[in-house]
Amino acid sequence: MTTLKTALVTGASRGIGRGVAIELGRAGYRVAINYAGNVAAADEALALVRAAGGDGVTVQADIASAADRERLVEEASAGLGGRIDLLVNNAGVAPTLRADLLEAGEESFDRLYAINLKGPFFLTQRVAKQMLAQEADAEGFRGRIVNVTSISAYTASTSRGDYCMLKAGLAMMTTLFADRLAADGINVYEIRPGIIATDMTSAVKDKYDQLILRDERGITPIRRWGRPEDIGRAVRAIAEDRFPFSTGAVFDVDGGFHLQRL
Ligand code: NAP
């Protein structure tokens, strides 16, 4: 049984999830690195977590699948010494094809619903039950949960309305679980990333380069792309219990994108 704290991070093979896993490694965590299919990327992420001072395991599982979610929790718990101190719901996908709101199809909606909202909801329900059965740690917590939403939870993009609606749903999921679990020693947080350089945004790099760097004022007051470690550092602060009296809190890690400016 390890004395290190433990985390399950979904979608941790690449992008933001990998950045989160590495920062948790720096904080001395053991991390279960979940991924959908890219085993080489997951192995690389684990090597980086170890190089940062942590340890962990990789677990393939499609969070849209009930059977996979069950196996994910079992394999992650076994690999982490029987305890999950932190769940980070990070895995998520963008629409394969952007479509105008008046033309958007059910196939895309159903795919995003299963991965971006239903999967995280039932995974959280399952992990929360396990956390409730865990002994409270030195800080008095049975666990912590972080949901990675998006500026799309409140920003309209009419060419990917499904993504926006489901991120808004994930934001409400944070509120619900925060309320339900507060008295049980489990705090729940939402992190709202802005525009972060990952594979997800690589297809629209030119558009965002223009908006962030070249337009006269810039779409974000802090004029640079976000990096996976920006999100990782925010999760690490939560993992190190810097916010013990906050639950349901929203962290805008977005270069100031959310500010209303005149
Ligand atoms: P990414 O680079 O495309 O990485 C996606 C990760 O999720 C990969 O590890 C992938 O695994 C995993 N994944 C995909 N489908 C999965 C499934 N069904 N089950 C389990 N894992 C799955 O994406 P990202 O940009 O890091 O985004 C991570 C999260 O941040 C998403 O929820 C996204 O909506 C959110 N976000 C991103 C941005 C941004 O600008 N990038 C902004 C706001 C919010 P494989 O490697 O095996 O494919």
Side-chain angles (χ1 to χ4, degrees), residues 10-18 34-39 41-42 61-64 89-94 115-116 148-152 163 167 170 192-201 208 225 228:
T10 66
S13 47
R14 294 182 286 123
I16 290 174
R18 178 190 281 202
N34 160 246
Y35 66 103
N38 195 335
V39 64
D62 175 0
I63 56 160
N89 284 307
N90 164 76
V93 290
I115 298 172
N116 290 6
V148 177
T149 65
S150 171
I151 53 176
S152 297
Y163 184 83
K167 286 297 183 184
L170 197 60
R192 252 176 215 175
I195 302 159
I196 313 294
T198 69
D199 293 343
M200 184 182 276
T201 46
Y208 287 134
W225 281 75

mmCIF file of all heavy atoms in Angstrom, residues 10-18 34-39 41-42 61-64 89-94 115-116 148-152 163 167 170 192-201 208 225 228, ligand 1:
data_model
loop_
_atom_site.group_PDB
_atom_site.id
_atom_site.type_symbol
_atom_site.label_atom_id
_atom_site.label_comp_id
_atom_site.label_asym_id
_atom_site.label_seq_id
_atom_site.Cartn_x
_atom_site.Cartn_y
_atom_site.Cartn_z
ATOM 1 N N THR A 10 -8.856 11.118 -16.426
ATOM 2 C CA THR A 10 -9.340 10.573 -17.701
ATOM 3 C C THR A 10 -8.729 11.377 -18.856
ATOM 4 O O THR A 10 -8.467 12.573 -18.720
ATOM 5 C CB THR A 10 -10.881 10.599 -17.780
ATOM 6 O OG1 THR A 10 -11.345 11.955 -17.800
ATOM 7 C CG2 THR A 10 -11.510 9.848 -16.619
ATOM 8 N N GLY A 11 -8.495 10.679 -19.954
ATOM 9 C CA GLY A 11 -7.901 11.338 -21.119
ATOM 10 C C GLY A 11 -6.553 11.942 -20.801
ATOM 11 O O GLY A 11 -6.273 13.078 -21.181
ATOM 12 N N ALA A 12 -5.686 11.170 -20.142
ATOM 13 C CA ALA A 12 -4.412 11.723 -19.674
ATOM 14 C C ALA A 12 -3.233 11.348 -20.571
ATOM 15 O O ALA A 12 -2.093 11.657 -20.257
ATOM 16 C CB ALA A 12 -4.134 11.260 -18.235
ATOM 17 N N SER A 13 -3.517 10.700 -21.686
ATOM 18 C CA SER A 13 -2.418 10.309 -22.577
ATOM 19 C C SER A 13 -1.844 11.507 -23.328
ATOM 20 O O SER A 13 -0.664 11.533 -23.650
ATOM 21 C CB SER A 13 -2.906 9.251 -23.578
ATOM 22 O OG SER A 13 -4.138 9.651 -24.153
ATOM 23 N N ARG A 14 -2.709 12.483 -23.610
ATOM 24 C CA ARG A 14 -2.285 13.619 -24.443
ATOM 25 C C ARG A 14 -2.862 14.911 -23.868
ATOM 26 O O ARG A 14 -3.723 14.876 -22.990
ATOM 27 C CB ARG A 14 -2.806 13.451 -25.884
ATOM 28 C CG ARG A 14 -2.202 12.286 -26.616
ATOM 29 C CD ARG A 14 -2.711 12.188 -28.042
ATOM 30 N NE ARG A 14 -4.077 11.709 -28.131
ATOM 31 C CZ ARG A 14 -5.081 12.368 -28.731
ATOM 32 N NH1 ARG A 14 -4.860 13.547 -29.273
ATOM 33 N NH2 ARG A 14 -6.286 11.861 -28.775
ATOM 34 N N GLY A 15 -2.392 16.033 -24.420
ATOM 35 C CA GLY A 15 -3.017 17.325 -24.190
ATOM 36 C C GLY A 15 -3.122 17.735 -22.725
ATOM 37 O O GLY A 15 -2.192 17.570 -21.937
ATOM 38 N N ILE A 16 -4.279 18.284 -22.379
ATOM 39 C CA ILE A 16 -4.496 18.839 -21.043
ATOM 40 C C ILE A 16 -4.358 17.757 -19.975
ATOM 41 O O ILE A 16 -3.729 17.960 -18.934
ATOM 42 C CB ILE A 16 -5.886 19.509 -20.980
ATOM 43 C CG1 ILE A 16 -5.887 20.783 -21.833
ATOM 44 C CG2 ILE A 16 -6.278 19.820 -19.535
ATOM 45 C CD1 ILE A 16 -7.251 21.456 -21.978
ATOM 46 N N GLY A 17 -4.938 16.593 -20.222
ATOM 47 C CA GLY A 17 -4.877 15.511 -19.232
ATOM 48 C C GLY A 17 -3.450 15.104 -18.931
ATOM 49 O O GLY A 17 -3.088 14.844 -17.777
ATOM 50 N N ARG A 18 -2.623 15.045 -19.972
ATOM 51 C CA ARG A 18 -1.214 14.725 -19.755
ATOM 52 C C ARG A 18 -0.553 15.808 -18.904
ATOM 53 O O ARG A 18 0.215 15.515 -17.982
ATOM 54 C CB ARG A 18 -0.479 14.580 -21.095
ATOM 55 C CG ARG A 18 0.982 14.289 -20.892
ATOM 56 C CD ARG A 18 1.777 14.383 -22.187
ATOM 57 N NE ARG A 18 1.630 13.186 -23.019
ATOM 58 C CZ ARG A 18 2.513 12.827 -23.952
ATOM 59 N NH1 ARG A 18 3.587 13.557 -24.152
ATOM 60 N NH2 ARG A 18 2.311 11.742 -24.687
ATOM 61 N N ASN A 34 -5.737 7.351 -17.775
ATOM 62 C CA ASN A 34 -6.742 6.735 -18.663
ATOM 63 C C ASN A 34 -6.553 7.262 -20.087
ATOM 64 O O ASN A 34 -6.186 8.414 -20.291
ATOM 65 C CB ASN A 34 -8.138 7.063 -18.138
ATOM 66 C CG ASN A 34 -9.193 6.893 -19.222
ATOM 67 O OD1 ASN A 34 -9.824 7.854 -19.651
ATOM 68 N ND2 ASN A 34 -9.394 5.680 -19.701
ATOM 69 N N TYR A 35 -6.810 6.392 -21.051
ATOM 70 C CA TYR A 35 -6.764 6.795 -22.455
ATOM 71 C C TYR A 35 -7.765 5.956 -23.230
ATOM 72 O O TYR A 35 -8.213 4.905 -22.755
ATOM 73 C CB TYR A 35 -5.342 6.642 -23.029
ATOM 74 C CG TYR A 35 -4.876 5.204 -23.091
ATOM 75 C CD1 TYR A 35 -4.865 4.499 -24.301
ATOM 76 C CD2 TYR A 35 -4.460 4.540 -21.946
ATOM 77 C CE1 TYR A 35 -4.453 3.179 -24.361
ATOM 78 C CE2 TYR A 35 -4.049 3.214 -21.991
ATOM 79 C CZ TYR A 35 -4.043 2.548 -23.207
ATOM 80 O OH TYR A 35 -3.649 1.238 -23.249
ATOM 81 N N ALA A 36 -8.105 6.423 -24.458
ATOM 82 C CA ALA A 36 -9.101 5.701 -25.265
ATOM 83 C C ALA A 36 -8.452 4.651 -26.146
ATOM 84 O O ALA A 36 -8.929 3.507 -26.195
ATOM 85 C CB ALA A 36 -9.878 6.686 -26.127
ATOM 86 N N GLY A 37 -7.357 5.013 -26.852
ATOM 87 C CA GLY A 37 -6.786 4.060 -27.798
ATOM 88 C C GLY A 37 -5.309 4.250 -28.072
ATOM 89 O O GLY A 37 -4.658 3.353 -28.610
ATOM 90 N N ASN A 38 -4.755 5.404 -27.684
ATOM 91 C CA ASN A 38 -3.378 5.726 -28.053
ATOM 92 C C ASN A 38 -2.406 5.241 -26.971
ATOM 93 O O ASN A 38 -1.953 5.997 -26.115
ATOM 94 C CB ASN A 38 -3.260 7.243 -28.252
ATOM 95 C CG ASN A 38 -1.992 7.620 -28.984
ATOM 96 O OD1 ASN A 38 -1.000 6.891 -28.966
ATOM 97 N ND2 ASN A 38 -2.018 8.772 -29.623
ATOM 98 N N VAL A 39 -2.052 3.957 -27.048
ATOM 99 C CA VAL A 39 -1.240 3.347 -25.993
ATOM 100 C C VAL A 39 0.158 3.953 -25.932
ATOM 101 O O VAL A 39 0.717 4.139 -24.829
ATOM 102 C CB VAL A 39 -1.204 1.803 -26.154
ATOM 103 C CG1 VAL A 39 -0.533 1.389 -27.442
ATOM 104 C CG2 VAL A 39 -0.537 1.130 -24.969
ATOM 105 N N ALA A 41 1.047 7.026 -26.606
ATOM 106 C CA ALA A 41 0.968 8.327 -25.926
ATOM 107 C C ALA A 41 0.775 8.129 -24.424
ATOM 108 O O ALA A 41 1.347 8.862 -23.610
ATOM 109 C CB ALA A 41 -0.182 9.147 -26.500
ATOM 110 N N ALA A 42 -0.011 7.131 -24.043
ATOM 111 C CA ALA A 42 -0.244 6.872 -22.611
ATOM 112 C C ALA A 42 1.056 6.427 -21.934
ATOM 113 O O ALA A 42 1.374 6.878 -20.820
ATOM 114 C CB ALA A 42 -1.334 5.819 -22.445
ATOM 115 N N ALA A 61 -9.630 2.667 -21.443
ATOM 116 C CA ALA A 61 -11.077 2.536 -21.219
ATOM 117 C C ALA A 61 -11.784 3.660 -21.961
ATOM 118 O O ALA A 61 -11.340 4.814 -21.927
ATOM 119 C CB ALA A 61 -11.412 2.614 -19.726
ATOM 120 N N ASP A 62 -12.878 3.323 -22.617
ATOM 121 C CA ASP A 62 -13.727 4.325 -23.274
ATOM 122 C C ASP A 62 -14.748 4.799 -22.239
ATOM 123 O O ASP A 62 -15.615 4.026 -21.813
ATOM 124 C CB ASP A 62 -14.421 3.674 -24.479
ATOM 125 C CG ASP A 62 -15.411 4.606 -25.158
ATOM 126 O OD1 ASP A 62 -15.581 5.760 -24.707
ATOM 127 O OD2 ASP A 62 -16.027 4.172 -26.150
ATOM 128 N N ILE A 63 -14.659 6.055 -21.838
ATOM 129 C CA ILE A 63 -15.544 6.506 -20.757
ATOM 130 C C ILE A 63 -17.010 6.566 -21.183
ATOM 131 O O ILE A 63 -17.885 6.710 -20.340
ATOM 132 C CB ILE A 63 -15.124 7.854 -20.137
ATOM 133 C CG1 ILE A 63 -15.033 8.940 -21.206
ATOM 134 C CG2 ILE A 63 -13.839 7.729 -19.363
ATOM 135 C CD1 ILE A 63 -15.098 10.322 -20.607
ATOM 136 N N ALA A 64 -17.265 6.411 -22.474
ATOM 137 C CA ALA A 64 -18.664 6.362 -22.929
ATOM 138 C C ALA A 64 -19.299 5.001 -22.638
ATOM 139 O O ALA A 64 -20.526 4.878 -22.708
ATOM 140 C CB ALA A 64 -18.724 6.654 -24.425
ATOM 141 N N ASN A 89 -12.050 14.568 -14.191
ATOM 142 C CA ASN A 89 -12.840 14.289 -15.402
ATOM 143 C C ASN A 89 -12.365 15.233 -16.492
ATOM 144 O O ASN A 89 -12.838 16.370 -16.596
ATOM 145 C CB ASN A 89 -14.330 14.522 -15.129
ATOM 146 C CG ASN A 89 -14.942 13.408 -14.320
ATOM 147 O OD1 ASN A 89 -14.835 12.231 -14.682
ATOM 148 N ND2 ASN A 89 -15.561 13.765 -13.206
ATOM 149 N N ASN A 90 -11.401 14.748 -17.263
ATOM 150 C CA ASN A 90 -10.816 15.599 -18.313
ATOM 151 C C ASN A 90 -11.146 15.132 -19.719
ATOM 152 O O ASN A 90 -11.296 15.964 -20.623
ATOM 153 C CB ASN A 90 -9.289 15.642 -18.127
ATOM 154 C CG ASN A 90 -8.587 16.159 -19.363
ATOM 155 O OD1 ASN A 90 -8.585 17.358 -19.644
ATOM 156 N ND2 ASN A 90 -8.008 15.241 -20.153
ATOM 157 N N ALA A 91 -11.266 13.835 -19.924
ATOM 158 C CA ALA A 91 -11.450 13.318 -21.289
ATOM 159 C C ALA A 91 -12.652 13.990 -21.938
ATOM 160 O O ALA A 91 -13.705 14.162 -21.311
ATOM 161 C CB ALA A 91 -11.645 11.806 -21.272
ATOM 162 N N GLY A 92 -12.483 14.346 -23.196
ATOM 163 C CA GLY A 92 -13.577 14.977 -23.918
ATOM 164 C C GLY A 92 -13.193 15.107 -25.377
ATOM 165 O O GLY A 92 -12.004 15.067 -25.712
ATOM 166 N N VAL A 93 -14.195 15.239 -26.211
ATOM 167 C CA VAL A 93 -13.927 15.352 -27.646
ATOM 168 C C VAL A 93 -14.694 16.529 -28.235
ATOM 169 O O VAL A 93 -15.734 16.931 -27.716
ATOM 170 C CB VAL A 93 -14.326 14.053 -28.396
ATOM 171 C CG1 VAL A 93 -13.387 12.904 -28.042
ATOM 172 C CG2 VAL A 93 -15.785 13.683 -28.125
ATOM 173 N N ALA A 94 -14.154 17.040 -29.332
ATOM 174 C CA ALA A 94 -14.832 18.073 -30.111
ATOM 175 C C ALA A 94 -15.620 17.381 -31.220
ATOM 176 O O ALA A 94 -15.357 16.224 -31.541
ATOM 177 C CB ALA A 94 -13.788 19.024 -30.696
ATOM 178 N N ILE A 115 -19.582 10.883 -24.433
ATOM 179 C CA ILE A 115 -18.191 11.047 -23.958
ATOM 180 C C ILE A 115 -18.057 12.251 -23.032
ATOM 181 O O ILE A 115 -17.348 12.198 -22.024
ATOM 182 C CB ILE A 115 -17.229 11.195 -25.160
ATOM 183 C CG1 ILE A 115 -17.266 9.939 -26.035
ATOM 184 C CG2 ILE A 115 -15.800 11.473 -24.680
ATOM 185 C CD1 ILE A 115 -16.485 10.064 -27.346
ATOM 186 N N ASN A 116 -18.719 13.352 -23.355
ATOM 187 C CA ASN A 116 -18.471 14.614 -22.643
ATOM 188 C C ASN A 116 -19.366 14.842 -21.433
ATOM 189 O O ASN A 116 -19.069 15.690 -20.598
ATOM 190 C CB ASN A 116 -18.639 15.791 -23.608
ATOM 191 C CG ASN A 116 -17.528 15.860 -24.648
ATOM 192 O OD1 ASN A 116 -16.687 14.969 -24.719
ATOM 193 N ND2 ASN A 116 -17.523 16.898 -25.453
ATOM 194 N N VAL A 148 -13.160 19.187 -15.895
ATOM 195 C CA VAL A 148 -12.587 20.103 -16.880
ATOM 196 C C VAL A 148 -13.682 20.438 -17.888
ATOM 197 O O VAL A 148 -14.081 19.602 -18.699
ATOM 198 C CB VAL A 148 -11.376 19.463 -17.588
ATOM 199 C CG1 VAL A 148 -10.834 20.401 -18.664
ATOM 200 C CG2 VAL A 148 -10.286 19.119 -16.569
ATOM 201 N N THR A 149 -14.213 21.653 -17.801
ATOM 202 C CA THR A 149 -15.273 22.069 -18.725
ATOM 203 C C THR A 149 -14.641 22.886 -19.846
ATOM 204 O O THR A 149 -13.699 22.425 -20.491
ATOM 205 C CB THR A 149 -16.387 22.841 -18.010
ATOM 206 O OG1 THR A 149 -15.869 24.068 -17.496
ATOM 207 C CG2 THR A 149 -16.993 22.009 -16.895
ATOM 208 N N SER A 150 -15.065 24.102 -20.033
ATOM 209 C CA SER A 150 -14.539 24.928 -21.133
ATOM 210 C C SER A 150 -15.187 26.304 -21.070
ATOM 211 O O SER A 150 -16.283 26.458 -20.528
ATOM 212 C CB SER A 150 -14.903 24.281 -22.479
ATOM 213 O OG SER A 150 -14.585 25.155 -23.549
ATOM 214 N N ILE A 151 -14.526 27.286 -21.692
ATOM 215 C CA ILE A 151 -15.188 28.579 -21.915
ATOM 216 C C ILE A 151 -16.461 28.375 -22.749
ATOM 217 O O ILE A 151 -17.363 29.198 -22.721
ATOM 218 C CB ILE A 151 -14.241 29.598 -22.599
ATOM 219 C CG1 ILE A 151 -13.629 29.021 -23.876
ATOM 220 C CG2 ILE A 151 -13.163 30.057 -21.635
ATOM 221 C CD1 ILE A 151 -12.755 29.997 -24.669
ATOM 222 N N SER A 152 -16.534 27.247 -23.452
ATOM 223 C CA SER A 152 -17.737 26.938 -24.248
ATOM 224 C C SER A 152 -18.956 26.653 -23.375
ATOM 225 O O SER A 152 -20.080 26.579 -23.893
ATOM 226 C CB SER A 152 -17.483 25.740 -25.162
ATOM 227 O OG SER A 152 -16.476 26.039 -26.085
ATOM 228 N N TYR A 163 -21.305 20.713 -28.509
ATOM 229 C CA TYR A 163 -20.171 20.820 -27.575
ATOM 230 C C TYR A 163 -20.476 21.842 -26.470
ATOM 231 O O TYR A 163 -20.274 21.565 -25.283
ATOM 232 C CB TYR A 163 -18.922 21.222 -28.364
ATOM 233 C CG TYR A 163 -17.646 21.290 -27.556
ATOM 234 C CD1 TYR A 163 -16.905 20.149 -27.287
ATOM 235 C CD2 TYR A 163 -17.155 22.512 -27.079
ATOM 236 C CE1 TYR A 163 -15.713 20.223 -26.554
ATOM 237 C CE2 TYR A 163 -15.975 22.595 -26.360
ATOM 238 C CZ TYR A 163 -15.253 21.448 -26.104
ATOM 239 O OH TYR A 163 -14.082 21.520 -25.375
ATOM 240 N N LYS A 167 -20.910 21.028 -22.426
ATOM 241 C CA LYS A 167 -19.996 21.613 -21.437
ATOM 242 C C LYS A 167 -20.809 22.392 -20.385
ATOM 243 O O LYS A 167 -20.462 22.389 -19.200
ATOM 244 C CB LYS A 167 -18.970 22.516 -22.122
ATOM 245 C CG LYS A 167 -17.880 21.743 -22.877
ATOM 246 C CD LYS A 167 -17.035 20.890 -21.937
ATOM 247 C CE LYS A 167 -15.908 20.179 -22.668
ATOM 248 N NZ LYS A 167 -15.140 19.269 -21.795
ATOM 249 N N LEU A 170 -21.937 19.884 -18.012
ATOM 250 C CA LEU A 170 -20.859 19.439 -17.119
ATOM 251 C C LEU A 170 -20.636 20.466 -16.000
ATOM 252 O O LEU A 170 -20.311 20.098 -14.868
ATOM 253 C CB LEU A 170 -19.581 19.243 -17.951
ATOM 254 C CG LEU A 170 -18.451 18.419 -17.335
ATOM 255 C CD1 LEU A 170 -18.876 16.997 -17.013
ATOM 256 C CD2 LEU A 170 -17.238 18.399 -18.274
ATOM 257 N N ARG A 192 -12.288 25.759 -15.993
ATOM 258 C CA ARG A 192 -12.755 26.202 -17.308
ATOM 259 C C ARG A 192 -11.574 26.668 -18.149
ATOM 260 O O ARG A 192 -11.199 27.846 -18.096
ATOM 261 C CB ARG A 192 -13.676 27.410 -17.106
ATOM 262 C CG ARG A 192 -15.107 27.093 -17.362
ATOM 263 C CD ARG A 192 -16.008 28.248 -17.082
ATOM 264 N NE ARG A 192 -17.236 27.674 -16.561
ATOM 265 C CZ ARG A 192 -18.251 28.359 -16.112
ATOM 266 N NH1 ARG A 192 -18.199 29.676 -16.076
ATOM 267 N NH2 ARG A 192 -19.318 27.742 -15.671
ATOM 268 N N PRO A 193 -10.998 25.769 -18.949
ATOM 269 C CA PRO A 193 -9.862 26.208 -19.765
ATOM 270 C C PRO A 193 -10.316 27.139 -20.873
ATOM 271 O O PRO A 193 -11.437 27.028 -21.385
ATOM 272 C CB PRO A 193 -9.325 24.907 -20.372
ATOM 273 C CG PRO A 193 -9.950 23.795 -19.601
ATOM 274 C CD PRO A 193 -11.261 24.326 -19.106
ATOM 275 N N GLY A 194 -9.391 28.031 -21.241
ATOM 276 C CA GLY A 194 -9.601 28.848 -22.436
ATOM 277 C C GLY A 194 -9.068 28.111 -23.642
ATOM 278 O O GLY A 194 -9.304 26.909 -23.798
ATOM 279 N N ILE A 195 -8.322 28.803 -24.482
ATOM 280 C CA ILE A 195 -7.806 28.193 -25.721
ATOM 281 C C ILE A 195 -6.418 27.629 -25.412
ATOM 282 O O ILE A 195 -5.474 28.375 -25.151
ATOM 283 C CB ILE A 195 -7.754 29.255 -26.835
ATOM 284 C CG1 ILE A 195 -9.167 29.838 -27.048
ATOM 285 C CG2 ILE A 195 -7.218 28.647 -28.128
ATOM 286 C CD1 ILE A 195 -9.175 31.190 -27.730
ATOM 287 N N ILE A 196 -6.333 26.315 -25.438
ATOM 288 C CA ILE A 196 -5.118 25.618 -25.005
ATOM 289 C C ILE A 196 -4.529 24.877 -26.204
ATOM 290 O O ILE A 196 -5.271 24.230 -26.966
ATOM 291 C CB ILE A 196 -5.447 24.584 -23.886
ATOM 292 C CG1 ILE A 196 -6.346 25.213 -22.784
ATOM 293 C CG2 ILE A 196 -4.159 24.016 -23.297
ATOM 294 C CD1 ILE A 196 -5.739 26.303 -21.960
ATOM 295 N N ALA A 197 -3.212 24.950 -26.338
ATOM 296 C CA ALA A 197 -2.544 24.293 -27.480
ATOM 297 C C ALA A 197 -2.470 22.784 -27.252
ATOM 298 O O ALA A 197 -1.687 22.311 -26.418
ATOM 299 C CB ALA A 197 -1.141 24.876 -27.646
ATOM 300 N N THR A 198 -3.312 22.056 -27.955
ATOM 301 C CA THR A 198 -3.321 20.585 -27.882
ATOM 302 C C THR A 198 -3.700 20.067 -29.277
ATOM 303 O O THR A 198 -4.004 20.837 -30.175
ATOM 304 C CB THR A 198 -4.381 20.066 -26.881
ATOM 305 O OG1 THR A 198 -5.690 20.341 -27.418
ATOM 306 C CG2 THR A 198 -4.248 20.689 -25.509
ATOM 307 N N ASP A 199 -3.769 18.744 -29.394
ATOM 308 C CA ASP A 199 -4.222 18.166 -30.678
ATOM 309 C C ASP A 199 -5.625 18.649 -31.020
ATOM 310 O O ASP A 199 -5.968 18.825 -32.185
ATOM 311 C CB ASP A 199 -4.230 16.627 -30.596
ATOM 312 C CG ASP A 199 -2.821 16.077 -30.475
ATOM 313 O OD1 ASP A 199 -1.857 16.820 -30.783
ATOM 314 O OD2 ASP A 199 -2.678 14.907 -30.062
ATOM 315 N N MET A 200 -6.467 18.861 -29.986
ATOM 316 C CA MET A 200 -7.852 19.267 -30.234
ATOM 317 C C MET A 200 -7.938 20.593 -30.984
ATOM 318 O O MET A 200 -8.790 20.792 -31.840
ATOM 319 C CB MET A 200 -8.629 19.363 -28.922
ATOM 320 C CG MET A 200 -10.099 19.684 -29.106
ATOM 321 S SD MET A 200 -10.996 19.848 -27.549
ATOM 322 C CE MET A 200 -11.375 18.156 -27.176
ATOM 323 N N THR A 201 -7.034 21.517 -30.657
ATOM 324 C CA THR A 201 -7.093 22.850 -31.269
ATOM 325 C C THR A 201 -6.126 22.989 -32.448
ATOM 326 O O THR A 201 -6.093 24.046 -33.083
ATOM 327 C CB THR A 201 -6.775 23.939 -30.218
ATOM 328 O OG1 THR A 201 -5.628 23.530 -29.472
ATOM 329 C CG2 THR A 201 -7.932 24.171 -29.286
ATOM 330 N N TYR A 208 -6.993 30.754 -34.321
ATOM 331 C CA TYR A 208 -6.719 31.248 -32.965
ATOM 332 C C TYR A 208 -5.440 32.070 -32.898
ATOM 333 O O TYR A 208 -5.346 32.997 -32.095
ATOM 334 C CB TYR A 208 -6.694 30.090 -31.967
ATOM 335 C CG TYR A 208 -8.083 29.542 -31.685
ATOM 336 C CD1 TYR A 208 -8.333 28.172 -31.680
ATOM 337 C CD2 TYR A 208 -9.139 30.394 -31.419
ATOM 338 C CE1 TYR A 208 -9.613 27.670 -31.426
ATOM 339 C CE2 TYR A 208 -10.413 29.916 -31.170
ATOM 340 C CZ TYR A 208 -10.637 28.556 -31.173
ATOM 341 O OH TYR A 208 -11.898 28.078 -30.924
ATOM 342 N N TRP A 225 -1.282 31.567 -26.177
ATOM 343 C CA TRP A 225 -2.049 30.330 -26.066
ATOM 344 C C TRP A 225 -1.886 29.775 -24.655
ATOM 345 O O TRP A 225 -0.828 29.915 -24.032
ATOM 346 C CB TRP A 225 -1.484 29.286 -27.030
ATOM 347 C CG TRP A 225 -1.892 29.433 -28.454
ATOM 348 C CD1 TRP A 225 -1.417 30.365 -29.345
ATOM 349 C CD2 TRP A 225 -2.839 28.615 -29.168
ATOM 350 N NE1 TRP A 225 -2.025 30.174 -30.561
ATOM 351 C CE2 TRP A 225 -2.891 29.107 -30.488
ATOM 352 C CE3 TRP A 225 -3.632 27.521 -28.823
ATOM 353 C CZ2 TRP A 225 -3.716 28.544 -31.455
ATOM 354 C CZ3 TRP A 225 -4.442 26.950 -29.785
ATOM 355 C CH2 TRP A 225 -4.496 27.462 -31.081
ATOM 356 N N PRO A 228 -1.058 23.038 -21.609
ATOM 357 C CA PRO A 228 -1.589 22.004 -20.708
ATOM 358 C C PRO A 228 -1.135 22.187 -19.262
ATOM 359 O O PRO A 228 -1.902 21.967 -18.326
ATOM 360 C CB PRO A 228 -1.055 20.714 -21.324
ATOM 361 C CG PRO A 228 -1.002 21.013 -22.788
ATOM 362 C CD PRO A 228 -0.563 22.453 -22.881
HETATM 363 P P1 NAP B 1 -6.962 16.103 -26.835
HETATM 364 O O1 NAP B 1 -5.602 16.690 -26.984
HETATM 365 O O2 NAP B 1 -7.740 15.760 -28.051
HETATM 366 O O3 NAP B 1 -6.831 14.796 -25.891
HETATM 367 C C1 NAP B 1 -7.988 14.052 -25.606
HETATM 368 C C2 NAP B 1 -7.692 13.004 -24.554
HETATM 369 O O4 NAP B 1 -8.935 12.363 -24.214
HETATM 370 C C3 NAP B 1 -6.756 11.908 -25.037
HETATM 371 O O5 NAP B 1 -6.005 11.480 -23.940
HETATM 372 C C4 NAP B 1 -7.719 10.824 -25.517
HETATM 373 O O6 NAP B 1 -7.165 9.511 -25.471
HETATM 374 C C5 NAP B 1 -8.828 10.969 -24.466
HETATM 375 N N1 NAP B 1 -10.129 10.477 -24.898
HETATM 376 C C6 NAP B 1 -10.851 10.819 -25.996
HETATM 377 N N2 NAP B 1 -12.013 10.139 -26.040
HETATM 378 C C7 NAP B 1 -12.034 9.338 -24.938
HETATM 379 C C8 NAP B 1 -12.934 8.375 -24.444
HETATM 380 N N3 NAP B 1 -14.077 8.091 -25.088
HETATM 381 N N4 NAP B 1 -12.611 7.714 -23.304
HETATM 382 C C9 NAP B 1 -11.456 7.978 -22.655
HETATM 383 N N5 NAP B 1 -10.560 8.874 -23.079
HETATM 384 C C10 NAP B 1 -10.839 9.549 -24.217
HETATM 385 O O7 NAP B 1 -7.922 17.070 -25.991
HETATM 386 P P2 NAP B 1 -7.552 18.299 -25.003
HETATM 387 O O8 NAP B 1 -7.485 19.523 -25.816
HETATM 388 O O9 NAP B 1 -6.416 17.929 -24.123
HETATM 389 O O10 NAP B 1 -8.914 18.389 -24.166
HETATM 390 C C11 NAP B 1 -9.058 17.793 -22.883
HETATM 391 C C12 NAP B 1 -10.333 18.319 -22.242
HETATM 392 O O11 NAP B 1 -10.255 19.743 -22.121
HETATM 393 C C13 NAP B 1 -11.598 18.034 -23.050
HETATM 394 O O12 NAP B 1 -12.656 17.751 -22.172
HETATM 395 C C14 NAP B 1 -11.848 19.339 -23.774
HETATM 396 O O13 NAP B 1 -13.225 19.495 -24.091
HETATM 397 C C15 NAP B 1 -11.382 20.326 -22.735
HETATM 398 N N6 NAP B 1 -10.995 21.634 -23.266
HETATM 399 C C16 NAP B 1 -10.009 21.774 -24.185
HETATM 400 C C17 NAP B 1 -9.676 23.024 -24.630
HETATM 401 C C18 NAP B 1 -8.576 23.282 -25.627
HETATM 402 O O14 NAP B 1 -8.433 24.432 -26.071
HETATM 403 N N7 NAP B 1 -7.775 22.311 -25.977
HETATM 404 C C19 NAP B 1 -10.350 24.160 -24.143
HETATM 405 C C20 NAP B 1 -11.357 23.980 -23.202
HETATM 406 C C21 NAP B 1 -11.668 22.711 -22.760
HETATM 407 P P3 NAP B 1 -6.295 8.886 -26.732
HETATM 408 O O15 NAP B 1 -4.945 9.545 -26.669
HETATM 409 O O16 NAP B 1 -6.235 7.431 -26.460
HETATM 410 O O17 NAP B 1 -7.049 9.247 -27.967
#
